[in-house]
Amino acid sequence: MRYYERVRHFDSIEVSLQSVTNRRIKARISADDLSFDLYFDYDEDVPLDERLAGMIASLPVVNYAYFTREIRLNFPVSESFLRQLKEFVRINNIETFVNSIVRRRYEFFRKEYLPRDDEITPENAAGNTVVNAETTYTDGFHFTGDRRKVAVMSSGGKESLTTFGMLNEIGSDVFPIFFNESGGHWKTAKVAYDHMRERYGNVHKVWSNVDRFYSFMNRNMRMLDQNAIRKTADSYPIQMFIFPVYVFSTLPYVLKYRIGNIALGDEFDDPIYQENYRGIKHYYGVYDQTNEFNDAVSDLLRDNGIPVRVFSAVYPIFGTLVEKVLVKRYPDLLRIQRSCHLCHYEGKEIVPCGRCTKCLGVLLFILNAGGDPMVAGYKEDSVKSLQKNLAEANMRLDPVELEYLKASVFDGKREDSHVEGIHIIPGEGEPFSKVPEEFRDGIMNIINQYSNGVYRIENGEWKRIS
C-alpha cells in the first residue's frame, strides 16, 4: 500500500451550492458521512451568480485533497477553472506531504501516520486525488476593469497596510477588502477595518465561517493528534491553501466596482534557500504567496472573462524593509497594525499578545526601524522580554533576516545587508517587474527612499548592483 493510500481518510468530498443570492453564498460540503454548511456573506448587494459562487465555494476543500480519493463539484464550472483546480490540488498535495507531514514544525500528526524514510518519494508526495465536476462550460464573463482601481486584500498586517499606504499615496483608487472569519482571527483585522471605515472610502468585507469548516474537518481526521491541534501555534495542522479563498471571495466586489487589480501582501521568501526536498519541488508551504500563484490566478480570471491582474507590491523585499516603510512613512497606519495570533481585548482596545512568533518578529521589525512598538499596541514588558522570548521561540523568519535583526536590535550592529534591499528575483530583468506599470514607478520611488540598494543573485549570493 502506498503512503498516500495509508493516510487517505475520505473516499470523496463533494461541494454543492444550496443557494446564491445577491448577498450570500450557501454551500454544503459533504465528506463521506460528514457535512458542513459553508457561508460567504457580503455587506451590500453584489453581482453574485452560480459561476462565481462555485469557484469561491470550491477552494476550501483543496486543503484536504491529499487525504481524499475524489473531489466532486456538483455544479457546472468553466473548463479553465476545472483545469486550474486540478493543478491547485496537485501543487497543494505536494505542499501537504512535504511541509505539513515531513518537514513539520509541530507534531500535529500521530506518529503511526508519519511516513517511513523510504516512503518520502515524489509519487507519495503527489498523492492520487481525482477532481470532477457535474459539467463544464466555455462561456465566461464579459468584464472590463479600471486599471487604476486596486482591491487590496487587507488584514491589518504590515504588508497589506504598507501596500495600501503606497497605492493610496500615488493616487490609485484603492478598495481595502477584509475577510472576516467567524472565529477569533477577526480581532487581528478589526482594528484596521474600523479605522479605515471611519477615514477612507471603498472599504468592504466578506464574512465567512470557512475557519470553522477547517476546524470541523481537522476534528474528524484520525491521523491528527487532537490534543496537539488544540494548542496555539503559528502553523495550521493541514490547511496551506487559505489565501486563494480570500482572493476569490473578493470577486463580487471586483465585478461591482469594475476593479482592474487585486493586490496581495505576499511575504518575501529568499530564493537562495529554496531547494527541492529529496528531489521534490515544493514552495515551503507558501505557494499562495508566490508570483507563480499570482500569475496563475491572473491567467485563470482572464480566461473566464475577468482580466484582473493579481500582484504584490512588496514581493521583492523582506518584512524588515516593509516595516521600515510603514514606520517611517505611514505612522497613522502603524497604529492600526496587529500582527498577532492571539489578539485580545483589554477594555475596549484590541491589543497583541507580545509573545507569539508573529509578535516577536514585528517587535524586531519596529525596533530595527527606529519605531516605538507601543504605538502598535505593544506593552513595555513585551519589549523588555523580547530577547528572552526569542531564545525560546521557533521563528519562521529566514535565517539571514533573523540574524540581521538580532544584531541590529540587541547589539547595535547595522551591517550593510541585502535584508534592507530590493531584490531582483531570478527570471526578472528589473526590480518590481511583476507590479503593473501603472503603479511600478510610484512604488519603486517610495521604497527606494528606505532601501540600501538593488540586489541580484550572482554565484549563489546577493550582490548589490545599484
Side-chain angles (χ1 to χ4, degrees):
M1 177 183 291
R2 296 176 178 85
Y3 174 76
Y4 60 77
E5 295 173 320
R6 184 153 62 88
V7 295
R8 180 174 289 158
H9 187 85
F10 302 108
D11 182 62
S12 70
I13 298 178
E14 298 189 22
V15 185
S16 305
L17 294 177
Q18 301 292 98
S19 62
V20 180
T21 69
N22 55 9
R23 286 207 178 197
R24 164 172 280 200
I25 299 168
K26 179 184 178 183
R28 176 158 296 169
I29 300 178
S30 302
D32 293 345
D33 57 345
L34 302 172
S35 66
F36 186 93
D37 287 340
L38 180 66
Y39 295 92
F40 293 86
D41 286 356
Y42 293 82
D43 59 12
E44 62 185 32
D45 289 351
V46 290
L48 268 171
D49 63 14
E50 290 195 354
R51 294 173 299 175
L52 276 183
M55 289 193 286
I56 295 166
S58 301
L59 293 173
V61 303
V62 173
N63 290 282
Y64 299 93
Y66 188 78
F67 309 96
T68 307
R69 183 188 65 81
E70 179 189 29
I71 291 174
R72 180 163 186 80
L73 311 181
N74 294 326
F75 43 81
V77 298
S78 70
E79 291 178 356
S80 58
F81 179 76
L82 183 60
R83 185 168 55 249
Q84 185 60 59
L85 187 65
K86 291 178 179 179
E87 178 64 5
F88 283 157
V89 164
R90 184 194 71 81
I91 292 171
N92 198 67
N93 277 359
I94 295 171
E95 294 303 292
T96 298
F97 178 79
V98 173
N99 294 293
S100 287
I101 298 174
V102 179
R103 296 180 65 251
R104 61 196 179 277
R105 299 177 71 241
Y106 299 98
E107 298 301 327
F108 292 129
F109 283 80
R110 292 165 56 187
K111 286 184 171 56
E112 60 266 33
Y113 289 99
L114 296 175
R116 301 185 307 269
D117 189 70
D118 65 321
E119 292 179 315
I120 303 175
T121 65
E123 181 185 25
N124 278 323
N128 188 29
T129 310
V130 177
V131 182
N132 290 311
E134 180 181 89
T135 186
T136 60
Y137 58 82
T138 55
D139 185 34
F141 295 83
H142 303 280
F143 169 83
T144 302
D146 185 335
R147 303 292 242 185
R148 295 299 305 179
K149 291 182 178 180
V150 191
V152 176
M153 296 300 303
S154 300
S155 65
K158 62 186 183 300
E159 283 82 13
S160 64
L161 289 171
T162 302
T163 298
F164 169 81
M166 293 191 297
L167 288 170
N168 188 57
E169 180 182 343
I170 65 177
S172 309
D173 195 356
V174 189
F175 291 72
I177 301 180
F178 291 80
F179 193 83
N180 181 0
E181 293 177 286
S182 57
H185 287 104
W186 179 236
K187 288 198 290 287
T188 299
K190 188 176 185 302
V191 177
Y193 174 76
D194 290 345
H195 175 91
M196 288 186 171
R197 286 281 288 183
E198 291 176 4
R199 292 165 177 79
Y200 302 100
N202 302 330
V203 181
H204 302 281
K205 71 174 178 179
V206 184
W207 178 90
S208 177
N209 65 341
V210 68
D211 57 328
R212 292 183 181 176
F213 164 68
Y214 299 144
S215 297
F216 171 79
M217 295 290 281
N218 293 347
R219 287 197 305 270
N220 284 283
M221 297 187 68
R222 63 180 178 271
M223 67 280 302
L224 292 179
D225 183 328
Q226 296 299 312
N227 291 325
I229 68 174
R230 283 193 289 268
K231 296 178 182 178
T232 301
D234 62 356
S235 295
Y236 293 115
I238 289 175
Q239 55 270 35
M240 292 187 178
F241 201 73
I242 57 175
F243 285 179
V245 180
Y246 304 161
V247 174
F248 277 76
S249 73
T250 69
L251 292 179
Y253 291 124
V254 167
L255 294 185
K256 178 172 183 175
Y257 293 104
R258 309 199 71 79
I259 301 169
N261 308 273
I262 300 175
L264 311 183
D266 294 344
E267 297 182 6
F268 177 77
D269 286 282
D270 195 334
I272 283 180
Y273 298 102
Q274 294 176 3
E275 300 177 348
N276 292 349
Y277 185 82
R278 298 201 185 185
I280 304 170
K281 176 179 170 55
H282 67 103
Y283 293 90
Y284 288 78
V286 290
Y287 167 68
D288 54 9
Q289 296 183 57
T290 64
N291 286 322
E292 289 94 328
F293 170 76
N294 296 345
D295 291 345
V297 175
S298 297
D299 292 344
L300 173 62
L301 294 178
R302 182 201 61 223
D303 292 344
N304 281 266
I306 309 174
V308 171
R309 299 170 298 184
V310 180
F311 73 98
S312 171
V314 294
Y315 74 91
I317 62 174
F318 276 107
T320 296
L321 185 51
V322 174
E323 191 77 55
K324 178 173 282 189
V325 176
L326 191 64
V327 168
K328 301 289 189 182
R329 199 172 191 95
Y330 306 114
D332 59 320
L333 298 179
L334 175 65
R335 294 182 180 278
I336 58 174
Q337 180 183 355
R338 296 292 183 274
S339 301
C340 173
H341 296 294
L342 295 170
C343 278
H344 60 282
Y345 278 97
E346 291 187 5
K348 294 183 178 181
E349 184 182 5
I350 297 175
V351 298
C353 74
R355 301 182 306 277
C356 70
T357 55
K358 291 282 283 187
C359 282
L360 299 181
V362 170
L363 285 166
L364 284 173
F365 294 145
I366 295 175
L367 291 170
N368 173 73
D372 180 0
M374 284 174 274
V375 171
Y378 289 98
K379 307 300 181 186
E380 190 174 351
D381 287 348
S382 297
V383 179
K384 290 180 178 178
S385 59
L386 175 59
Q387 193 164 11
K388 173 181 176 295
N389 290 336
L390 278 170
E392 301 169 355
N394 186 8
M395 298 293 289
R396 299 185 67 179
L397 295 178
D398 280 330
V400 65
E401 184 178 29
L402 181 58
E403 292 309 309
Y404 172 81
L405 288 168
K406 286 180 178 178
S408 169
V409 172
F410 301 128
D411 302 327
K413 296 180 180 178
R414 306 293 299 200
E415 297 178 3
D416 193 15
S417 168
H418 74 92
V419 169
E420 302 226 27
I422 296 167
H423 302 80
I424 297 179
I425 306 301
E428 284 188 306
E430 59 184 25
F432 291 100
S433 67
K434 291 291 185 178
V435 175
E437 60 183 356
E438 289 89 344
F439 319 121
R440 189 179 303 147
D441 288 345
I443 288 171
M444 182 78 171
N445 289 338
I446 290 172
I447 294 177
N448 257 335
Q449 297 176 46
Y450 306 95
S451 78
N452 65 4
V454 176
Y455 293 78
R456 187 195 303 273
I457 295 177
E458 296 178 2
N459 299 319
E461 296 183 358
W462 287 108
K463 300 291 186 181
R464 184 161 47 209
I465 61 172
S466 68

